Amino acid sequence: MTTKTSGGNAAFHNFHNDYAHIADPNERRRLALAEIDKAPFGWYHVRAVVVAGIGFFTDAYDIFAINLASAMLGVVFWQNHKGTIPSSADTAIKVATSGGTVIGQVGFGWLADVVGRKKMYGLELMIIIFATLAQSVSAPSPAMSIVGLLVFWRAIMGIGIGGDYPLSSIITSEFATTKWRGAMMGAVFAMQGIGQFAAAMCALVVTAGFKESLESAKSAATCTGVCQLAVDKMWRVVIGFGAVPGCIALYYRLTIPETPRYTFDVARDVEKAREDVTAYVQGRAEGHPDEVQRAHVLANESHQIDIPKASWSDFMRHYGQWKHGKVLLGTAGSWFFLDVAFYGLGLNNSVILSAIGYAGGSNMYHIFYNTAVGNLILICAGAIPGYWVTVATVDTLGRKPIQLMGFSLLTILFIVIGFAYNHLSGRALLALYVLAQFFFNFGPNATTFIVPGECFPTRYRSTSHGLSAAAGKVGAIVAQVVFGPLRTHGAKPGATGRDASPWLNHVMQIFALFMFLGLLTTFLIPETKRKTLEELAGEVPGTPNYDPVAAGIRNGTAPTKTSNPSSVDGASPDTLKGELKV
């Protein structure tokens, strides 16, 4: 009989204890995971989604806020440039975030598989909070420009944002019930839309708060004195507010128990996990288990776990097989092709705002007001509905059909925008833009986040999700560095509206090609709807994805009697206690 663990909180139930009286670790693992997979949807699932989702709210807020703050930075620091931030500085500040994100996704993804989800969860949020506050109080000096400071701190912040992608995805996945796992993960990701909305609302609020000062200047070039002082305060508030929601979620992230799947499959150290959770509940930094008892459990149980141990050789063997390697290629490739167009389309917001009459203004107040309200309209019209339609349908329609549908429709939309651009009215362009935003989010933008958190084995799940997400952010960098300047190729100085982006139609045509390539890579991924994580990892005999080595059957001989203990429609854990161990 194993020693019971303790701890956990209202958001994350501790499932270790429910079968602690069973001696065989494989049977205990099987029944405990069945309990998680078959648990009815309850409030602790909602709390888990909120705790993870606040991180994505913060991520989206911080990324989107700089788009609103960049115009403010121009007024404050580039009065010698007519109050407009140079395109090179603007690109450097935005690309720094994406570059840091790539590092965070790969680094935190790997570390979460090596040292555990619990030890890393919260650390990435602390990095985000610290770097966000540091940005908000940055100021140039004779030795350091404001661009250098913001590039540095946004790269650091990007590392934290990158870490949040694999950690929030896999922790939600590994605690979720199988029946509603897609909706839970989708709801976490949908908080990005709320974060974008909050950033635009914050910009609107500070604009209203400094209305009198802003009305004193007709344009960015003349915004000096009290106007410039007001704008300096505004961008710092807009950026700094991004740290507030992270502070709220930090405690809950730091007090979660380790996920049972990681404890069973990777750590294989129940005693240390028990003491660490108990210690944190009691306010201590680290647990110190009885080393004799810990050594006894490790010696008698750890080697009995059938699942292979993680190692570089096992990693290469696993992904060296086409049936597993193609899945990683499919998730990473789909995310890369998606983000090239997703972030590329976002570069064209100014064109859309001009089309709906929310660009420019008679004074600085109206300029900032129109920018904030225009972005709120675009977010509410396309992005937010798309996210939540995915949440409502992903566990019924399935991930793969939604992704295929999304890429297909986006290919068509970009073809229409690209080849008919010069013949489209402002309203038609707005309608196509909103449809594209909707089908990005009711489509591959959501599913490329969900699927990598489900389809890989526990010992490599976080690393694989991080690699997939990093491929996406490389696509975002390509969009910002290559397609951002390309769309303005041939533009005359001082041009506005469509004249400022003469190559935009060709860029949209290229994006159509990327969407078609994303459609092709989607065929490499499996459908994960209503399947347990163990079945998707190939550990359940009798299923199409079964891999004897993944299940720990090294001689290739499968058990004579099998069942999927945690399938949605399978037997209850009570009936499984008498069955043969897998």
Side-chain angles (χ1 to χ4, degrees):
M1 181 183 298
T2 188
T3 306
K4 287 189 175 183
T5 67
S6 57
N9 57 42
F12 295 91
H13 177 65
N14 189 336
F15 289 95
H16 290 112
N17 295 341
D18 296 334
Y19 297 100
H21 61 283
I22 298 175
D24 182 5
N26 291 295
E27 182 72 355
R28 190 161 65 249
R29 169 185 180 273
R30 190 168 68 114
L31 296 175
L33 297 185
E35 183 74 9
I36 298 172
D37 290 334
K38 294 173 68 66
F41 190 81
W43 278 110
Y44 66 91
H45 288 118
V46 175
R47 296 188 188 103
V49 168
V50 171
V51 171
I54 287 177
F56 268 86
F57 173 97
T58 304
D59 299 345
Y61 181 100
D62 290 334
I63 292 172
F64 189 73
I66 196 63
N67 296 328
L68 301 169
S70 62
M72 302 176 189
L73 291 171
V75 171
V76 177
F77 299 107
W78 280 278
Q79 274 302 317
N80 60 350
H81 201 265
K82 297 183 179 181
T84 304
I85 185 171
S87 59
S88 57
D90 186 46
T91 300
I93 291 170
K94 293 175 181 176
V95 169
T97 309
S98 297
T101 302
V102 172
I103 297 171
Q105 287 164 333
V106 176
F108 274 85
W110 174 68
L111 286 170
D113 279 337
V114 174
V115 302
R117 287 77 158 119
K118 173 182 169 60
K119 290 182 180 178
M120 301 309 299
Y121 208 41
L123 176 60
E124 87 292 354
L125 201 55
M126 288 189 281
I127 293 174
I128 294 172
I129 292 169
F130 180 78
T132 300
L133 294 175
Q135 288 174 70
S136 67
V137 296
S138 293
S141 71
M144 180 65 72
S145 69
I146 189 64
V147 175
L149 286 168
L150 291 179
V151 164
F152 175 78
W153 287 118
R154 289 195 71 81
I156 299 298
M157 183 189 73
I159 293 174
I161 291 174
D164 205 30
Y165 274 75
L167 283 166
S168 289
S169 174
I170 61 172
I171 287 175
T172 304
S173 173
E174 291 178 358
F175 273 109
T177 175
T178 300
K179 186 175 182 180
W180 301 115
R181 187 177 61 234
M184 290 178 63
M185 297 176 72
V188 169
F189 194 68
M191 293 301 289
Q192 283 195 338
I194 308 300
Q196 294 171 2
F197 179 86
M201 279 298 300
C202 185
L204 181 61
V205 169
V206 296
T207 298
F210 290 99
K211 179 179 180 180
E212 186 175 336
S213 298
L214 295 174
E215 287 178 332
S216 65
K218 299 298 182 182
S219 67
T222 60
C223 185
T224 58
V226 293
C227 176
Q228 189 178 35
L229 178 61
V231 176
D232 192 28
K233 294 176 181 178
M234 287 167 58
W235 80 264
R236 297 179 190 278
V237 172
V238 170
I239 296 295
F241 185 77
V244 175
C247 294
I248 297 172
L250 187 59
Y251 167 77
Y252 287 98
R253 289 197 170 194
L254 292 172
T255 58
I256 69 165
E258 185 57 86
T259 68
R261 286 180 165 89
Y262 184 87
T263 301
F264 280 123
D265 295 358
V266 183
R268 308 182 187 214
D269 188 351
V270 178
E271 287 297 298
K272 185 65 169 69
R274 175 180 68 84
E275 288 294 332
D276 280 346
V277 174
T278 302
Y280 203 87
V281 170
Q282 296 175 351
R284 292 184 284 118
E286 184 179 4
H288 300 283
D290 182 286
E291 293 300 328
V292 175
Q293 175 67 13
R294 182 183 181 187
H296 173 76
V297 173
L298 286 171
N300 288 277
E301 293 191 2
S302 64
H303 67 279
Q304 298 178 33
I305 299 292
D306 288 338
I307 303 303
K309 289 186 177 181
S311 65
W312 285 112
S313 59
D314 180 67
F315 181 88
M316 298 303 295
R317 179 206 61 79
H318 182 78
Y319 287 113
Q321 301 176 66
W322 174 243
K323 66 178 179 179
H324 299 309
K326 71 174 183 180
V327 177
L328 182 58
L329 178 63
T331 57
S334 298
W335 211 332
F336 172 81
F337 294 129
L338 161 76
D339 273 8
V340 171
F342 181 76
Y343 281 85
L345 186 65
L347 296 172
N348 305 307
N349 276 8
S350 59
V351 177
I352 305 302
L353 292 177
S354 297
I356 63 176
Y358 279 92
S362 58
N363 55 48
M364 289 308 298
Y365 169 74
H366 287 123
I367 290 172
F368 287 134
Y369 176 88
N370 286 338
T371 300
V373 173
N375 278 284
L376 283 172
I377 292 171
L378 296 180
I379 293 165
C380 293
I384 291 178
Y387 281 117
W388 292 101
V389 171
T390 297
V391 174
T393 61
V394 71
D395 283 312
T396 52
L397 296 180
R399 287 68 153 158
K400 195 169 181 177
I402 290 176
Q403 187 162 314
L404 287 169
M405 174 203 67
F407 273 129
S408 300
L409 293 174
L410 287 167
T411 301
I412 296 171
L413 287 170
F414 280 118
I415 288 175
V416 172
I417 296 174
F419 287 95
Y421 182 74
N422 294 321
H423 305 286
L424 294 172
S425 66
R427 291 183 178 180
L429 186 61
L430 172 63
L432 291 170
Y433 178 89
V434 169
L435 284 173
Q437 287 289 348
F438 179 82
F439 285 110
F440 268 128
N441 296 306
F442 177 41
N445 193 37
T447 55
T448 51
F449 171 81
I450 295 172
V451 173
E454 301 176 304
C455 63
F456 300 110
T458 299
R459 62 191 184 280
Y460 303 129
R461 185 171 293 128
S462 183
T463 301
S464 302
H465 192 288
L467 290 172
S468 301
K473 276 298 176 284
V474 170
I477 294 172
V478 170
Q480 293 165 327
V481 174
V482 177
F483 293 108
L486 184 61
R487 70 184 172 88
T488 60
H489 178 70
K492 296 179 180 179
T496 58
R498 297 194 185 193
D499 293 335
S501 304
W503 254 63
L504 184 57
N505 59 328
H506 299 303
V507 170
M508 295 296 109
Q509 293 163 13
I510 296 171
F511 287 167
L513 173 62
F514 277 95
M515 294 298 92
F516 180 70
L517 294 174
L519 175 66
L520 297 181
T521 55
T522 299
F523 288 104
L524 299 176
I525 67 172
E527 176 53 64
T528 60
K529 179 186 72 172
R530 303 288 169 89
K531 295 179 181 178
T532 69
L533 298 181
E534 286 64 45
E535 179 180 348
L536 292 167
E539 299 169 12
V540 180
T543 59
N545 207 35
Y546 177 60
D547 179 2
V549 177
I553 311 300
R554 290 173 173 67
N555 60 6
T557 303
T560 57
K561 183 178 180 181
T562 63
S563 65
N564 181 359
S566 48
S567 62
V568 174
D569 300 317
S572 67
D574 291 336
T575 63
L576 295 168
K577 293 179 182 179
E579 293 183 5
L580 189 64
K581 303 174 182 58
V582 176

